[in-house]
Amino acid sequence: MAQLPDLAINAQAITKIYKDGKPNSPAKKALDTVDLQVPRGSLFGLLGPNGAGKSTLINIMADLVNKSSGSLSIWGYDIDKRPRQSRAAIGIVPQELTFDPYFSPRQVLELQAGMYGVPPKERRTMELLETVGLADKADAYARSLSGGMKRRLMVAKAMVHTPPILVLDEPTAGVDVELRRMLWEHVKELNNLGVTIVLTTHYLEEAEELCDRIAIINQGQIVACEDKPILLNRIDSKKVVISLQKLPQTLPTALKAFSPEVIQPSASSSGLTQLAFSYRRSDSPISAILSAVASAGLEICDISTEESDLEDIFLQLTSNKAA
């Protein structure tokens, strides 16, 4: 048995330059020496603003766009030296719904499997439809499916040749909350079965919840590529909000050193007086803050904390790059 690669996708110095062919017209560099490594078995997030280069990179992986320079391996196969094997190792779920609406889901998958040269005896049509929750719609017209069902059919279509890598390009765009949740359950099941998932999405909370490693691309360059916990720790700020039964007219001296923001009952969500302390996590002053509140004799009713999330990191990285 051949040894499985450590990296499902390994991109080295990928550059893509588009030329419009007009005299004296400047070329557009969509990707600028992109390095990207996707570990085998991961649920990997590829995030970036519109026009950052995500779709160009995915289209290069799918062999729909030729790179200008650099090297790319899919499941250990160089896309230039072994294109047939590299294409067979990846399934792409595009943003657009691409299937004949007059075909049934069964026919859609059978046709796609035939295009990949999968012998009839080795096809997994009903198994895939069951995996994405469409077995009961196997013989219905595809046009009669709901938006969420069509998205799930696209996932099944990308899996007919049993690729070890599945790329989902904005799979929940225009899908309601319930159907989005169902789709993610199916994606997690696939990942649990060993399929490497690469996800692009504008819903950052989805990426934060689902992905174990995240890359952020901006203006054609990778500006971050780290395990999720490391990425989320990039912003050192943190806030703790303490709700008090009553606060003296004058702020106790022990608390002044922490420069808290006083939130009056009329402005607080709890209807209680609140003290909001902002600090650096690396300084770890939370115990000192609580000790100061206790020494001032203040009665604590509730404590809540606010930490930076993926959206904060995303905005910081893409805004700085754009600046």
Side-chain angles (χ1 to χ4, degrees):
M1 178 181 290
Q3 184 176 358
L4 296 178
D6 292 330
L7 295 177
I9 297 172
N10 186 11
Q12 299 284 345
I14 296 292
T15 296
K16 176 59 183 177
I17 299 174
Y18 288 104
K19 302 176 182 178
D20 63 10
K22 297 180 181 179
N24 302 320
S25 181
K28 174 179 173 54
K29 184 176 285 188
L31 295 175
D32 186 3
T33 58
V34 166
D35 290 335
L36 186 70
Q37 287 74 45
V38 178
R40 171 172 52 86
S42 65
L43 210 167
F44 190 96
L46 178 61
L47 311 180
N50 290 331
K54 302 188 302 296
S55 294
T56 298
L57 184 56
I58 288 173
N59 286 335
I60 291 173
M61 294 178 188
D63 202 23
L64 297 175
V65 169
N66 293 325
K67 55 185 172 56
S68 300
S69 62
S71 64
L72 175 64
S73 294
I74 305 292
W75 206 247
Y77 300 115
D78 186 287
I79 65 170
D80 296 320
K81 298 176 181 178
R82 305 186 71 180
R84 180 184 293 272
Q85 290 87 345
S86 65
R87 286 196 296 267
I90 193 167
I92 307 289
V93 182
Q95 297 182 39
E96 300 81 12
L97 299 174
T98 55
F99 51 78
D100 192 318
Y102 293 96
F103 282 12
S104 68
R106 187 197 303 272
Q107 291 170 326
V108 168
L109 299 193
E110 285 290 319
L111 178 62
Q112 186 76 357
M115 290 180 175
Y116 272 96
V118 181
K121 292 183 178 180
E122 297 179 15
R123 295 176 188 175
R124 303 180 300 126
T125 298
M126 286 309 300
E127 177 187 339
L128 288 170
L129 290 175
E130 289 173 3
T131 299
V132 298
L134 292 177
D136 60 335
K137 301 289 185 179
D139 297 308
Y141 280 130
R143 69 174 185 271
S144 69
L145 302 180
S146 68
M149 290 177 179
K150 290 176 182 176
R151 291 288 178 187
R152 282 183 272 154
L153 178 56
M154 292 296 294
V155 173
K157 183 181 174 185
M159 295 295 294
V160 295
H161 57 300
T162 319
I165 305 167
L166 183 64
V167 178
L168 304 169
D169 190 7
E170 299 287 349
T172 57
V175 176
D176 65 41
V177 174
E178 181 178 0
L179 292 175
R180 187 183 305 159
R181 179 185 57 80
M182 292 174 61
L183 180 60
W184 288 136
E185 289 301 318
H186 290 301
V187 169
K188 286 190 285 188
E189 288 177 10
L190 288 171
N191 186 238
N192 290 335
L193 292 172
V195 178
T196 301
I197 306 290
V198 178
L199 162 71
T200 77
T201 179
H202 284 297
Y203 299 106
L204 299 183
E205 69 277 7
E206 289 182 347
E208 183 171 354
E209 178 182 351
L210 293 167
C211 299
D212 48 54
R213 188 169 176 84
I214 294 172
I216 297 177
I217 186 171
N218 191 45
Q219 296 184 355
Q221 294 183 319
I222 299 293
V223 294
C225 183
E226 296 169 338
D227 290 341
K228 181 173 63 178
I230 297 174
L231 185 63
L232 292 177
N233 281 329
R234 277 188 172 231
I235 294 182
D236 200 25
S237 62
K238 188 172 182 178
K239 179 187 285 188
V240 60
V241 179
I242 299 176
S243 299
L244 305 170
Q245 191 64 46
K246 186 177 181 181
L247 182 69
Q249 292 289 335
T250 303
L251 192 67
T253 303
L255 296 178
K256 289 182 179 179
F258 299 100
S259 303
E261 175 191 359
V262 180
I263 304 173
Q264 297 298 337
S266 59
S268 72
S269 58
S270 64
L272 299 170
T273 300
Q274 294 179 328
L275 294 179
F277 300 85
S278 297
Y279 61 94
R280 296 172 62 87
R281 284 185 292 187
S282 55
D283 295 336
S284 303
I286 184 65
S287 58
I289 291 173
L290 294 177
S291 296
V293 172
S295 65
L298 302 178
E299 183 180 351
I300 299 175
C301 298
D302 192 21
I303 298 177
S304 63
T305 59
E306 299 176 11
E307 298 190 56
S308 57
D309 58 15
L310 184 57
E311 183 175 353
D312 297 323
I313 307 292
F314 180 87
L315 291 174
Q316 181 190 63
L317 290 171
T318 56
S319 297
N320 288 350
K321 184 68 178 179

